[in-house]
Amino acid sequence: MAFVAIYTVGRLTHPYEHPASREFYEVGYKVMRQATNSGDLIKEFSPDGVPFPEDVIKGDGAPILTLTVWKSLQSLYRFTYSGKHKQALRDRSKWIRPHQEKQPTYVVWWTEKVKDVSWEEASKRYNHFIQHGPTPFAFDYKHAFDECGETLVVN
């Protein structure tokens, strides 16, 4: 059985201490509680102590990274566009800087083992996506693949 991992990348608009950034973290906590309660989230990786990749450190605003593993691409997609996460996506401009052109906000990939998912692997997949576009190795919802590498429409 394959699982799906997602790595998200963003930058706070304001410093960590700013009220808007605190609101971002409060909302994020509620979003992760919803994810945990969904029964579809397998693992959330803590960014504490993780060295940020050089390309993430450059630029204005504090970097925000997430890495999670889910039971299926469909359950991840449903979570992304429902409930508190859907509302957070609508409100993200209050907290997160707009991305530069050709800089994706996330990348998704399949994994057979949760233990194979790491921050290093996430960075590798993200950079592959930037350099090569969507492939079965690293993709987004608009250009998704199933665990066998076949094109898949996610909805």
Side-chain angles (χ1 to χ4, degrees):
M1 176 181 174
F3 302 104
V4 68
I6 184 168
Y7 174 65
T8 67
V9 178
R11 288 191 171 284
L12 288 175
T13 301
H14 304 284
Y16 286 120
E17 314 78 39
H18 192 278
S21 296
R22 284 198 300 267
E23 179 187 18
F24 168 79
Y25 284 105
E26 289 169 10
V27 169
Y29 174 77
K30 292 174 185 174
V31 166
M32 287 314 299
R33 230 171 75 200
Q34 178 186 347
T36 301
N37 291 338
S38 74
D40 294 316
L41 176 67
I42 302 292
K43 184 169 182 174
E44 173 189 10
F45 292 77
S46 171
D48 294 341
V50 174
F52 289 115
E54 189 64 33
D55 59 324
V56 172
I57 295 171
K58 294 178 185 173
D60 295 329
I64 299 296
L65 304 175
T66 68
L67 178 58
T68 53
V69 179
W70 294 77
K71 286 184 178 178
S72 71
L73 186 57
Q74 288 74 18
S75 64
L76 170 59
Y77 183 84
R78 263 193 321 273
F79 169 77
T80 301
Y81 296 108
S82 68
K84 295 184 185 315
H85 193 271
K86 179 180 180 180
Q87 187 59 48
L89 287 175
R90 287 183 185 147
D91 293 342
R92 72 179 155 211
S93 64
K94 294 191 310 188
W95 312 303
I96 304 294
R97 290 182 180 279
H99 267 261
Q100 298 172 358
E101 190 176 327
K102 297 192 179 189
Q103 288 291 323
T105 58
Y106 70 97
V107 66
V108 178
W109 69 95
W110 291 99
T111 185
E112 290 294 321
K113 298 175 185 168
V114 175
K115 70 177 186 165
D116 292 340
V117 177
S118 67
W119 289 103
E120 183 180 342
E121 182 68 16
S123 181
K124 184 169 116 180
R125 302 280 180 152
Y126 184 78
N127 289 329
H128 183 274
F129 184 86
I130 290 170
Q131 293 172 5
H132 304 284
T135 68
F137 186 76
F139 54 92
D140 59 15
Y141 292 135
K142 292 179 184 172
H143 307 96
F145 296 87
D146 67 16
E147 55 267 33
C148 297
E150 300 296 321
T151 302
L152 177 69
V153 175
V154 185
N155 52 26

